[in-house]
Amino acid sequence: MSAPRLTADDAFQRRWWTLGVLCISLMVIGIDNTILNVALPSIVKELHAQGSDLQWIVDAYVLVFAGLLLTAGSLGDRFGRKRALTGGLVLFGVFSGLASQATSPDTLIVCRGLMGIGGAFIFPTTLSILTNTFHDPVERGRAIGIWAGVSGLGIVIGPLGGGLLLEHFSWGSVFLVNVPVCVIAILLGRKLIPESRDPAQSALDPIGALLSIVALGGLLYGIIQAPDLGWGSGHVLGGIAVGAVVLATFLAWELHIEHPMLDIRIFANPRFSAASATITLTYFAMFGSTFLLTQYFQFVLGYSPLKAGFMTAPIAIGLMSCAPLAPRLVERQGSKRVVLCGLVIVLAALALYGCDTVMSNVFLGGLVRAMFGAGIALTVAPATESIMGSLPLARAGVGSAVNDTTRQTGGALGVAVLGSVFAARYHSVIGTAAVAPAAARNAVRDSIGTALDAAHGLSPAQGDAVRRLADHAALTGMRLAYLIGVAFVISAMVVCARYLPAHAAEPERQDDRRIGEALTVAD
């Protein structure tokens, strides 16, 4: 039975209910990403996963997800965004259920990659449907603020819910919980989400889609492999080289054909390009620091999964509190000032992340993490509105996909680069220290998780020595990684200060309309 069709008047009257369903759909991705971080130590124990396995369990999803975003956004514009969202939720729910039954790290990695297919259709369509539902710029900005704030709800529910589940069930429960959320979103979406698509019905661009998948896949493959193989490895350099060459080919192709999947001219708009770069650099810091922070709580401080989840919650509290306020601040102060203010807050919090004295204190560490979330909200919500407000409604799917690609590429870079820096420093500090029997030394050097696991099988004296050395090596690696994150936030501040327009003033809006008209004609 087909879903009821909403009239334009019904869609307008129900627009805030539509936003609620979109936020539920978005939340399933936010929950999945954060709940997995809490489950990593349990996966190490129950599936005997190594350090490299953990990064692939996290990044297999990101690799497929980011590689397919542009294609998924384009297909949503062409065939219907509601249809794309529903299909994505079905795929995400099915493969989440299969992931919960995995019996080896390799199987879990494959399931995570397949979940990325569903995620690639969910994420861009939520934002493109929102943009096509809220036409008034002020109202759209506030809706995006709520959308960004609800993404923080996943950060709260993920770790806390994951901790509760792991107290009573196996690690597989953190994937199984996605299934009912997907079902609820599908059922509500049938009645409350209007269908929309590009009215021009432009021709498909299969070559551009293939080139974008190979380009992003190659780049991310090289980046993800770097922590395990080293940045000088042939696999790493080969992946990055292939990705860069194919990316250049993709850009040339998109400039050449009559109906491009991604019209490169949109990057000539500084409001679009500066906001995209800012989000990429910000998500680099956020994903990388969160990846390390969760391990710090459980491995260094010895927290249970539930307590680790609870300690992560202040990030989301800060994000949820400030994201809805950000659009109102933009109305008064302009996008540039608000985004710069957010980046300064992120910078300060990230610098404090490297201080064990502060972060191990429940109250002080909580304040720092709440401050970090507030800074992310003040940065991301206005930047997202800048991206979507720069595009014509007909191309909202591709525009949203670009926005999401910048997030996921930045996030993958953050996990890979900061993870690589952390791992390299950890290995350097561990060195050749003879703190364990020869049979356990490889485990001690692999990662802090395997080191602590190996310590349980040693004598009390040897076990204590291994734990002290592993803690010291991990803290040293984290401090260096956070400094790298600080450098990327400073880069985001430079980009924002130099290129992001202070206000979405009327002359700029006219320029945006002309770009939109040109894109529509091209379609």
Side-chain angles (χ1 to χ4, degrees), residues 47 94 128 153 167 192 215 217 255 339 370 442 497 499:
L47 294 186
V94 169
S128 60
L153 189 60
E167 289 285 325
L192 296 173
L255 287 170
V339 173
N442 287 336
Y499 298 107

Side-chain angles (χ1 to χ4, degrees), residues 160-472:
L160 289 178
L164 287 170
L165 288 170
L166 293 172
E167 289 285 325
H168 301 93
F169 307 102
S170 72
W171 62 266
S173 60
V174 304
F175 292 104
L176 200 59
V177 74
N178 293 332
V179 177
V181 180
C182 289
V183 171
I184 290 170
I186 291 169
L187 294 177
L188 291 176
R190 284 175 55 85
K191 293 185 177 181
L192 296 173
I193 295 180
E195 184 60 281
S196 64
R197 56 172 56 88
D198 181 354
Q201 291 290 296
S202 57
L204 295 176
D205 179 16
I207 295 178
L210 179 62
L211 290 173
S212 73
I213 293 170
V214 174
L216 290 170
L219 289 171
L220 289 173
Y221 172 80
I223 292 166
I224 291 169
Q225 286 286 78
D228 186 42
L229 302 179
W231 289 95
S233 164
H235 287 281
V236 172
L237 295 177
I240 293 175
V242 168
V245 170
V246 177
L247 179 61
T249 305
F250 168 73
L251 296 176
W253 173 261
E254 295 300 281
L255 287 170
H256 168 74
I257 65 170
E258 183 179 0
H259 301 294
M261 180 178 72
L262 174 64
D263 196 304
I264 307 302
R265 288 173 295 172
I266 62 177
F267 289 97
N269 185 337
R271 188 177 170 209
F272 181 91
S273 55
S276 298
T278 299
I279 287 180
T280 301
L281 296 168
T282 303
Y283 266 68
F284 176 100
M286 185 173 73
F287 272 58
S289 63
T290 302
F291 177 73
L292 297 178
L293 190 64
T294 306
Q295 296 186 63
Y296 167 74
F297 286 142
Q298 297 190 63
F299 291 137
V300 177
L301 299 183
Y303 292 167
S304 68
L306 178 58
K307 187 174 181 180
F310 178 79
M311 296 301 290
T312 309
I315 297 175
I317 293 173
L319 200 158
M320 291 169 60
S321 300
C322 291
L325 297 177
R328 299 180 187 274
L329 293 175
V330 169
E331 292 167 22
R332 300 174 185 174
Q333 302 295 329
S335 299
K336 178 180 288 189
R337 287 183 180 178
V338 176
V339 173
L340 279 174
C341 178
L343 290 172
V344 169
I345 296 173
V346 171
L347 178 67
L350 199 58
L352 289 170
Y353 269 20
C355 180
D356 182 53
T357 303
V358 172
M359 298 306 293
S360 61
N361 183 283
V362 174
F363 178 72
L364 294 178
L367 285 179
V368 172
R369 291 187 291 279
M371 183 171 70
F372 184 83
I376 293 292
L378 293 176
T379 300
V380 171
T384 300
E385 198 286 325
S386 292
I387 291 173
M388 300 309 296
S390 303
L391 299 172
L393 294 178
R395 305 312 303 271
V398 171
S400 178
V402 171
N403 170 66
D404 300 332
T405 300
T406 61
R407 292 168 184 254
Q408 296 304 315
T409 303
L413 274 168
V415 172
V417 173
L418 297 191
S420 178
V421 169
F422 167 76
R425 187 59 178 158
Y426 176 89
H427 295 153
S428 175
V429 173
I430 292 292
T432 57
V435 295
R441 285 176 191 166
N442 287 336
V444 172
R445 293 169 189 162
D446 179 71
S447 69
I448 184 173
T450 55
L452 297 180
D453 192 44
H456 291 299
L458 303 176
S459 67
Q462 288 178 324
D464 288 342
V466 165
R467 281 188 285 270
R468 286 195 299 271
L469 180 61
D471 286 350
H472 171 67

Side-chain angles (χ1 to χ4, degrees), residues 3-85:
R5 191 174 186 86
L6 294 178
T7 65
D9 184 62
D10 288 338
F12 178 78
Q13 295 296 330
R14 300 181 185 181
R15 64 193 185 282
W16 294 105
W17 290 101
T18 300
L19 176 62
V21 181
L22 296 177
C23 288
I24 293 173
S25 304
L26 171 69
M27 192 170 62
V28 74
I29 295 179
I31 290 174
D32 178 74
N33 286 334
T34 55
I35 204 171
L36 176 59
N37 286 332
V38 176
L40 290 178
S42 298
I43 292 172
V44 169
K45 293 179 182 178
E46 297 186 33
L47 294 186
H48 307 291
Q50 301 296 309
S52 58
D53 293 329
L54 293 183
Q55 281 202 303
W56 270 109
I57 289 168
V58 172
D59 285 328
Y61 169 83
V62 177
L63 181 64
V64 176
F65 179 60
L68 289 176
L69 275 171
L70 289 175
T71 300
S74 177
L75 291 174
D77 283 342
R78 179 67 171 77
F79 295 108
R81 299 175 183 113
K82 177 179 178 178
R83 183 178 300 175
L85 176 60

